[in-house]
Amino acid sequence: TIDEIRARVRMTDHAMETIVQGRDEFIRVLKGEDKRFAVVVGPCSIHDPKAALEYAESILEFREKFGDRLLILMRVYFEKPRTSIGWKGLVSDPHLDGTFDMNMGLVQARRLLIDIAEKGVPTATELLDPVVAAYLGELVSWVSIGARTTESQTHRQMASGLSAPVGLKNGTDGSIESPLNAMVSAGSEHAFLSINDAGGASIVRSNGNPWTHLILRGAKSTDGYQPNFDAASVADIEERLKAKSFTPQVMIDCSHANSLYDHERQAVVVNDIIKQKTAGNESIFGLMLESNINPGKQKLTGPLSELKYGVSVTDACVGLGETEEILTHIYQNLRS
């Protein structure tokens, strides 16, 4: 049960302070009170908690180095939505061997989030399974709802009850209407079934989450990948947000279809964003970047002992060296 997992891996006062401060700072960015540029950066997925903790040390250094202009949160993703099949993430299969030791996965995920927060680094995650959200939602400063689940009523209801701000991605087909509708739904009151801390079914009543926003991640069609980070796409989406009575605020995912699934093109997307910002764009308030200790990706097909340290087992990432170069470029070209 949730109570049992919490008792096994207890929250600390300092970790809670980091989590709440991260939420408050992100909300202040959304409100326009904090002029810093938000950056959610980290591995596509976490498969090695030891490497994740080492990566967090670098994020702490980046926060200290760039923190007056950039609000940096570490991407710590434990659940991976699959287009068909594949490894579903640390919570589902922490041993990476198909044994699906989910009890251990929840314990490892909870411990890692608390350990990273103890370092003073706020975290961001995608919540894919609403049951998992009940175990981990309290430990993160920002949440994303992915392209495959933005249309889901279950996820919209879940988002409506979260304390953290929530980013909603456009659909894999590029649909903007689905995240806009999701923002309306997540901002509204709901009553729905969930589990309580003792593990029983219960009726949950939510007040609505006022801190939702749109994430642009590009699209896939029969013609290939279609990025939507360019100035024309952003201008169109600004108007669609206004038409729904939302403040035109956009976060851009520099990976996925926007980078044509080429991790080395993430810097191209960043450069375009910087050009838009320096040209006067006010709606783009942040970006997402997939980054790991070392660049590239590897497959989970051979012996686990042969896995390269700090290299993604899902989408390819840029390494820490290029990550620092990208953050430096953003820092030097954007003024708070």
Side-chain angles (χ1 to χ4, degrees), residues 13 32 44 83 126 160 182 185 219 221 224 244 252 269 328 331 334:
D13 290 343
C44 173
T83 300
E126 177 179 349
S160 75
S185 178
S221 69
K244 290 275 191 180
I252 293 177
V269 182
T328 300
Y331 182 82
L334 293 183

Side-chain angles (χ1 to χ4, degrees), residues 257-277:
N258 272 336
S259 66
L260 311 182
Y261 281 88
D262 178 353
H263 65 289
E264 295 180 347
R265 287 186 56 84
Q266 290 188 91
V268 175
V269 182
V270 172
N271 290 340
D272 192 279
I273 293 169
I274 297 302
K275 289 179 181 178
Q276 291 183 58
K277 294 295 292 182

Side-chain angles (χ1 to χ4, degrees), residues 45-224:
S45 62
I46 301 296
H47 72 277
D48 179 353
K50 178 184 176 182
L53 277 174
E54 179 181 329
Y55 183 90
E57 291 287 348
S58 295
I59 293 297
L60 182 60
E61 293 176 8
F62 295 155
R63 281 174 55 84
E64 293 170 349
K65 184 175 181 179
F66 305 119
D68 60 322
R69 296 180 193 166
L70 306 182
L71 174 59
I72 300 174
L73 282 70
M74 179 174 164
R75 177 187 167 110
V76 187
Y77 278 36
F78 298 114
E79 302 176 271
K80 295 307 297 179
R82 312 308 308 199
T83 300
S84 55
I85 57 173
W87 182 66
K88 296 178 183 178
L90 189 84
V91 164
S92 178
D93 188 15
H95 305 300
L96 289 77
D97 59 1
T99 54
F100 301 107
D101 186 358
M102 296 181 197
N103 283 326
M104 179 56 68
L106 287 169
V107 167
Q108 286 192 346
R110 184 174 177 85
R111 181 172 291 124
L112 180 60
L113 287 171
I114 292 173
D115 287 346
I116 293 173
E118 271 286 307
K119 294 178 181 294
V121 176
T123 55
T125 198
E126 177 179 349
L127 291 177
L128 181 62
D129 188 327
V131 175
V132 173
Y135 287 86
L136 303 181
E138 65 179 333
L139 302 177
V140 295
S141 297
W142 177 87
V143 169
S144 75
I145 304 297
R148 296 168 183 82
T149 45
T150 295
E151 290 192 52
S152 161
Q153 179 65 20
T154 301
H155 290 79
R156 294 173 178 186
Q157 292 171 165
M158 176 187 71
S160 75
L162 294 174
S163 300
V166 177
L168 297 137
K169 289 192 173 183
N170 66 257
T172 54
D173 63 353
S175 168
I176 300 299
E177 198 65 21
S178 59
L180 294 183
N181 289 335
M183 289 169 66
V184 173
S185 178
S188 304
E189 297 179 358
H190 288 278
F192 54 95
L193 287 173
S194 186
I195 59 171
N196 58 31
D197 292 354
S202 62
I203 299 172
V204 175
R205 297 185 185 276
S206 63
N207 294 324
N209 188 337
W211 308 118
T212 61
H213 64 85
L214 180 63
I215 305 173
L216 301 180
R217 49 90 74 197
K220 183 179 181 180
S221 69
T222 54
D223 297 324

Side-chain angles (χ1 to χ4, degrees), residues 2-74:
I2 298 171
D3 280 337
E4 290 170 340
I5 296 292
R6 283 177 179 159
R8 189 169 173 182
V9 187
R10 295 185 181 277
M11 174 73 83
T12 66
D13 290 343
H14 182 56
M16 177 59 75
E17 181 181 340
T18 297
I19 294 161
V20 172
Q21 182 176 334
R23 291 176 182 174
D24 290 346
E25 289 177 336
F26 201 100
I27 289 170
R28 283 174 55 82
V29 168
L30 291 175
K31 293 168 70 175
E33 297 173 356
D34 188 331
K35 300 301 182 182
R36 287 181 294 174
F37 192 73
V39 178
V40 175
V41 54
C44 173
S45 62
I46 301 296
H47 72 277
D48 179 353
K50 178 184 176 182
L53 277 174
E54 179 181 329
Y55 183 90
E57 291 287 348
S58 295
I59 293 297
L60 182 60
E61 293 176 8
F62 295 155
R63 281 174 55 84
E64 293 170 349
K65 184 175 181 179
F66 305 119
D68 60 322
R69 296 180 193 166
L70 306 182
L71 174 59
I72 300 174
L73 282 70
M74 179 174 164

Side-chain angles (χ1 to χ4, degrees), residues 274-295:
I274 297 302
K275 289 179 181 178
Q276 291 183 58
K277 294 295 292 182
T278 54
N281 175 278
E282 296 182 355
S283 67
I284 303 173
F285 73 90
L287 59 79
M288 301 180 71
L289 189 72
E290 290 195 321
S291 157
N292 214 320
I293 294 173
N294 295 306

Side-chain angles (χ1 to χ4, degrees), residues 313-330:
V313 297
T314 46
D315 288 349
C317 300
V318 296
L320 276 174
E322 185 174 358
T323 300
E324 184 166 13
E325 291 174 2
I326 289 172
L327 293 176
T328 300
H329 179 65
I330 299 170

